[in-house]
Each structure stands twice: as C-alpha cells, then as structure tokens.
Amino acid sequence: MKTLLLALMSLWALEVHATQSDMLDLSGFATLGVAVTDRNDTRFSRVGFDHPGDQNPDFGPDSVLGIQANWRFSPQAAAVLQVLSRESPRGSYMPRPTLAFFSYQLDPALTVRLGRMRGPFFMFSDTIDINYAQPWIRSPIEVYGLNPYVDLDGVDLLYRTRIRNVDIEVHPYFGSSRIDVFEDGESRLKGIIGMNLALSSGDLSIHAGYSSADQKLQWSDPLHDWLQGALRRTEGGVPFAEQMSGSDGRARFASAGFQWDNGRWLLIGEYARRKVSQNANSAHGWYLTAGRRFGTVIPYLTYARQIQDEAIVDIPPASELSAAVEYFNASRNLAQRSVTAGVRWDFADNAALKAELMRAETADGASGSFYSFDTSTSALVRGRTVNVLSVSIDVTF
Amino acid sequence: MSPSEQNPASWLRLLVLAALMAGALPVNAQVVMVTAAAGPVETLSRSEAEQLYLGRRTTLDNGRAVSLLDLPIGAVRNAFYQQLTGKNPIQIRAYWSRQVFTGRALPPREARGIEEAREILVAEPNTIGYLPEAEIDSRLRILLRLP
C-alpha cells in the first residue's frame, strides 16, 4: 500500500513536472564520519540505529547520504520525497525512503501532511541524520538512544502562528513506525499519538513533546534466542521469557528542551524519558551543551547521562539462569555518562568539519553505547570507561 | 586523527581565519526589501518578512501567497539575514537545512545576481526580494528598510 502510494506520487509528480519545469527542487545532504575507540575489545555503536561491532575505526555510526525532491503543485499543495542511505542495524546500506508525503496548506497557519515523515519524538529527532543542521557530530546518544524510531508513517498537522514576538508551532501527529533490530529482529510502534509544542523568540527556542504507542518488539540474536528457550524449559521460567519479547508492550516518550543561541554563545539542554511496559527497558536521559563561536569555528562541551529506571526482565530468584538474565538486561541497557569535547568548523559554504572526543563511563549492569567482544558475564556487569574519537565532514547541496 | 584537536598551531590558524571572515561582513550595508512597483504587494511588515524568510509562513497577513527571492551567498545576503532575523550566515544555513530536509519549507529561489534578481522581481509581481538600496530603480517598490 505504502509502496503503491509512493509510486503513484512519483508518477503524478513527474507528469506535472514535465509540463512546468520550475516546480521541482532537488537537494541533498551527506556526512562522511568515522569513530574509533581506544579499546581493542570494544566498538562504539549508535545502538538501535547502526550495525554494532563491525570495524574499528567504524564508518557506520555517522556516515549518511540523502537526496530529496520537492514538488510544488500549487501555492497550497506540495510533495516531498527523500531517499537516504546509511548503515542499518542489519549492516545494510540499501537506500530507503525517509520522507514521502503530500502536504496541503488548509489555512495560512495550518498545514496537514500525509505519508512518511520523520519521527518527531524529541527536540532533534527529525534532524537525526541531517548532521549539518546540528552542532555535534551526532545528537547526544544518552537521550537520542532512548528512541530509535526514525519514521512516522501517518498524518500530522503543523500549526504555526506568532503571538507578539513569539513564534509558536503546535505539531500533533498520529501513525506507526517500524525498525529493524540487530541481528534479525524487528520492532513496531502502532497507534502512535503525540504532540509537540515549540516556542521561539529571538535567540531562545523551547521544545516540549509527549507521545504514546503500542509496541511490538521481537529481539532476534543468539543471546536472546538461547535465553528465551532456556527460560521456557525451566520450571517457572515462562513469565520471565514473556517479558523479553512480545506484542503487548506500551511505550511512552516525553521530552523537554531548550536552545539558546545569540550568535556567539550556544546553550542546548534536553531531558527525555521512555517508559515501556515490557520487552525493552525504561530509562531517562539528559544533556547539556555549551559552545562559543569564533567566526566559523565553534568549540563545544557536552555532558550527557542516561539512567535506567526499570530493566527488561525481572531476575528469576535463585535460578541458574539469573546471571544470564542479568547479562541480557545489561546488553540492552544503554545507561552511561559521558563528557564530550568537540569542535565544528564551517570551512566552506554548506560544508562543516567536526571532531569530537567523548569519554564515556558505562553504568554498572549496562553496555552503554558500546558493543563488546568480551562475552564473559562480568564484562558488562561492572562499568567501563571508553574514549571515542570521531571526525566527520557534513555537506549539503 | 584530528589536527584541530591535537595541533595548537592549526587551532590558531583557524581562529585567525575565522576572525578575518567575520570582520569581512559589511553588517551596516543598507538593504531594502522590494517588489514590483506594478505588483499587488503594497505593504510588508517586519514581522511578516522575518517569518517568510525563516520559512515559518508562505503568505502575507492578508492571505496572499508570495514567492521569495534570495541573492547568491555573499555580503548582501549575509547582511540581509543578520539584520532581519538576527542570525549570522552559519546559523541561517544550519537553520534552513533543517527546514528543507525535514520537509517543512522550501528555501527562497536564488537569483544569480543583483541584475537577475531585479528582472525576476519586475517580471513576477507576486515575488518579494531584497537589494542594496543603490540598486533600486523606478520599476521596484520599496516595502521595508533594514536595519
């Protein structure tokens, strides 16, 4: 159905385009980025977004290429198609549509959009792949790792107005989303209902958002599959096995943040929380970034933290599988704290070079944003300190 | 891996370069917002202009849809955005990349230069744009003076 809609839209657009040449607008963005850790047994990963544990240095976490076509059919009607290639949790770079929607302006202040939009869950969720739009190499993973759903397939409304000197955007949305999960799993959100509110005035912008959805999460990796089977074969183990994967989860996401940028100083802060009834853990995170512009160069410092509120599976009492359950929980717990020192240099029009050094300390019982080749149970249960150096070039065209 | 983090000399070079580039912007150039003298757009408030050029709206207060024109990247364009929106060139480019690649707005059409901008403005009366005041002729109507 979605493919059909997309195909029809493209055909219609091309048809109309053929008759009137300045209606079509092509543009794009790209990042070439590399991340390297200082530990041989540990790889950096944007868990939920990329394929963990390939190489060190790794081009997977941050590199991306996006091409976009905009059509304008009338002053009110428009369509956007964006196709994007980046490493998926299954290690594929197969391009896929990341924007494919019609928009119609019902009123000068009110636009309705139908199709695939970017999931707008947190303050920078809709620019998660548009690194040029952000000061960092990547939006802080302690917050953005809380929600790996990048698409919103559905409908939204953008209501924009100005009261005195405050620009207001009210953004309700409804739809569904699906992602691949490492290694062969998948996760779906259905019946997403959410609302964002953004206020901006002068140098200050404020964001608040809330959404809820039904979640169906099927992990599929050797550890999950083995433990799922082992728990089901153990007396009294079935309720624990059922907490691991399934279709009756309920997920809620909330976030609040601000940006203050007076052209010289930059301050960004955000708090976000996800509460999931089962199959994934509940956690909250926050970050604070401060930067200072010197012409085209902006050095910045970020402190970020994620804290787990509730683990996925309860630990079975006095069972020989307790340690394995603890390991399973740890392998899906991104809790960590990090300090990042970075610099962005806009060395040309529409191009930026960035470098970041992140020092992350994973929480006890958490893998954080790292994939470890040390599979001994103790490796994840105690916290580790890992340094990650990242360099990237962002361009838009 | 990263010269800018490890080598103090290259840091210094960056800072010097940055300072030179920042100093090169003529932030006090007199820029005026204009439309065709024979066109239907008769007034434009500063607030309307700011929202239009930040992609937050596509119509005037009276409901009329207008097209926007940009000059190529350069001193006049930089001064225009700085004066109208308070954002420097780097802020404005990052801001617009967000508007475009989230599918919220299309950027203004870019003229190849002042000459072409003038011709487009005259030929397409629903279009508004900006020019240095010295470049205005009788075919154009001044809507707003910046700063």
Side-chain angles (χ1 to χ4, degrees):
Chain A
M1 176 59 204
K2 248 173 246 155
T3 322
L4 184 66
L5 189 72
L6 198 68
L8 282 175
M9 187 174 105
S10 310
L11 278 176
W12 181 38
L14 286 173
E15 185 77 14
V16 180
H17 168 229
T19 57
Q20 208 177 332
S21 67
D22 54 37
M23 296 183 34
L24 174 72
D25 208 69
L26 283 172
S27 51
F29 54 94
T31 295
L32 180 65
V34 63
V36 58
T37 65
D38 65 346
R39 292 170 64 117
N40 287 332
D41 62 350
T42 305
R43 303 286 187 268
F44 172 72
S45 172
R46 285 171 80 174
V47 179
F49 296 91
D50 69 356
H51 183 256
D54 279 351
Q55 313 96 1
N56 194 30
D58 192 350
F59 287 89
D62 302 310
S63 298
V64 60
L65 172 67
I67 306 286
Q68 181 171 320
N70 283 67
W71 293 270
R72 186 159 287 286
F73 309 118
S74 76
Q76 286 80 36
V80 180
L81 176 64
Q82 183 186 87
V83 176
L84 186 136
S85 168
R86 62 155 297 143
E87 189 187 66
S88 78
R90 294 183 185 169
S92 156
Y93 280 86
M94 180 66 85
R96 55 179 214 93
T98 42
L99 292 178
F101 65 79
F102 284 108
S103 68
Y104 192 84
Q105 206 174 63
L106 300 165
D107 168 280
L110 185 65
T111 301
V112 59
R113 305 192 294 179
L114 176 72
R116 172 169 292 176
M117 281 80 68
R118 302 252 69 186
F121 301 99
F122 300 153
M123 189 160 65
F124 293 108
S125 293
D126 57 359
T127 51
I128 197 97
D129 291 312
I130 306 151
N131 300 314
Y132 181 83
Q134 306 179 156
W136 320 279
I137 285 188
R138 68 191 78 88
S139 37
I141 43 187
E142 288 81 358
V143 161
Y144 285 84
L146 290 170
N147 192 329
Y149 295 94
V150 290
D151 298 329
L152 174 74
D153 294 333
V155 58
D156 72 356
L157 286 172
L158 285 168
Y159 177 74
R160 285 180 277 202
T161 190
R162 174 177 277 211
I163 295 177
R164 298 169 80 90
N165 62 345
V166 181
D167 286 303
I168 299 169
E169 183 182 282
V170 184
H171 182 193
Y173 53 94
F174 176 80
S176 62
S177 192
R178 184 205 164 277
I179 48 170
D180 286 338
V181 172
F182 176 75
E183 217 173 296
D184 298 305
E186 68 158 12
S187 191
R188 289 173 188 273
L189 289 182
K190 290 215 156 149
I192 304 169
I193 296 182
M195 169 88 105
N196 283 336
L197 175 67
L199 306 176
S200 51
S201 179
D203 301 332
L204 181 69
S205 303
I206 293 171
H207 155 96
Y210 179 82
S211 60
S212 69
D214 293 321
Q215 178 169 254
K216 176 181 182 178
L217 200 167
Q218 183 60 55
W219 300 102
S220 181
D221 53 87
L223 171 61
H224 167 270
D225 298 348
W226 169 78
L227 184 59
Q228 176 82 236
L231 280 168
R232 287 182 188 279
R233 286 190 300 274
T234 305
E235 200 185 327
V238 172
F240 296 97
E242 283 174 349
Q243 291 174 6
M244 294 173 68
S245 274
S247 60
D248 42 6
R250 184 90 190 136
R252 283 173 285 169
F253 303 95
S255 66
F258 75 93
Q259 300 170 69
W260 182 75
D261 183 351
N262 73 350
R264 175 170 293 184
W265 290 96
L266 173 68
L267 273 181
I268 307 174
E270 188 175 8
Y271 169 92
R273 174 184 289 272
R274 86 162 175 224
K275 202 158 166 45
V276 184
S277 62
Q278 56 184 336
N279 319 139
N281 69 348
S282 294
H284 66 277
W286 60 272
Y287 64 84
L288 197 60
T289 291
R292 164 78 155 86
R293 276 199 185 77
F294 299 92
T296 57
V297 177
I298 175 162
Y300 55 87
L301 204 61
T302 299
Y303 182 81
R305 186 159 189 199
Q306 186 184 123
I307 296 165
Q308 175 172 269
D309 298 318
E310 200 180 348
I312 304 176
V313 187
D314 297 331
I315 309 295
S319 157
E320 59 210 10
L321 292 173
S322 298
V325 169
E326 213 170 320
Y327 187 84
F328 175 82
N329 283 339
S331 69
R332 279 127 180 103
N333 179 356
L334 310 187
Q336 66 180 25
R337 64 176 90 196
S338 70
V339 176
T340 302
V343 61
R344 170 186 175 136
W345 175 30
D346 283 75
F347 65 94
D349 296 332
N350 303 322
L353 172 67
K354 299 169 180 173
E356 276 185 8
L357 186 62
M358 175 173 84
R359 183 174 179 81
E361 197 183 313
T362 63
D364 288 344
S367 61
S369 54
F370 300 97
Y371 180 87
S372 179
F373 290 102
D374 180 357
T375 52
S376 64
T377 310
S378 63
L380 289 186
V381 174
R382 56 166 200 274
R384 296 162 299 161
T385 299
V386 187
N387 295 307
V388 183
L389 178 67
S390 311
V391 179
S392 72
I393 290 184
D394 304 328
V395 297
T396 64
F397 48 91
Chain B
M1 288 299 302
S2 153
S4 55
E5 281 199 350
Q6 286 172 359
N7 184 346
S10 59
W11 251 112
L12 193 62
R13 267 204 303 278
L14 291 186
L15 288 179
V16 170
L17 184 70
L20 287 174
M21 291 175 78
L25 301 177
V27 280
N28 293 317
Q30 179 73 64
V31 180
V32 292
M33 298 200 62
V34 290
T35 189
V41 183
E42 289 177 356
T43 59
L44 177 72
S45 72
R46 198 188 160 95
S47 168
E48 284 173 298
E50 186 182 346
Q51 291 176 79
L52 285 166
Y53 274 89
L54 288 176
R56 289 175 177 154
R57 60 190 293 173
T58 55
T59 58
L60 302 174
D61 284 342
N62 63 16
R64 174 179 292 282
V66 289
S67 303
L68 306 180
L69 199 60
D70 248 342
L71 291 177
I73 291 174
V76 179
R77 173 156 149 180
N78 291 346
F80 167 72
Y81 278 100
Q82 183 80 57
Q83 289 164 5
L84 183 67
T85 70
K87 293 183 195 296
N88 66 40
I90 290 171
Q91 287 175 291
I92 222 55
R93 287 200 293 267
Y95 175 89
W96 263 105
S97 72
R98 179 182 182 131
Q99 299 307 306
V100 171
F101 296 122
T102 59
R104 274 155 195 257
L106 274 175
R109 172 177 172 191
E110 189 175 305
R112 262 173 259 139
I114 284 171
E115 194 64 34
E116 190 184 75
R118 220 166 17 211
E119 297 313 313
I120 293 171
L121 285 164
V122 171
E124 296 174 22
N126 254 331
T127 303
I128 64 173
Y130 55 90
L131 290 168
E133 184 153 27
E135 303 288 344
I136 306 304
D137 63 30
S138 62
R139 299 172 302 162
L140 295 173
R141 171 187 297 143
I142 294 180
L143 294 168
L144 196 61
R145 275 194 165 76
L146 297 172

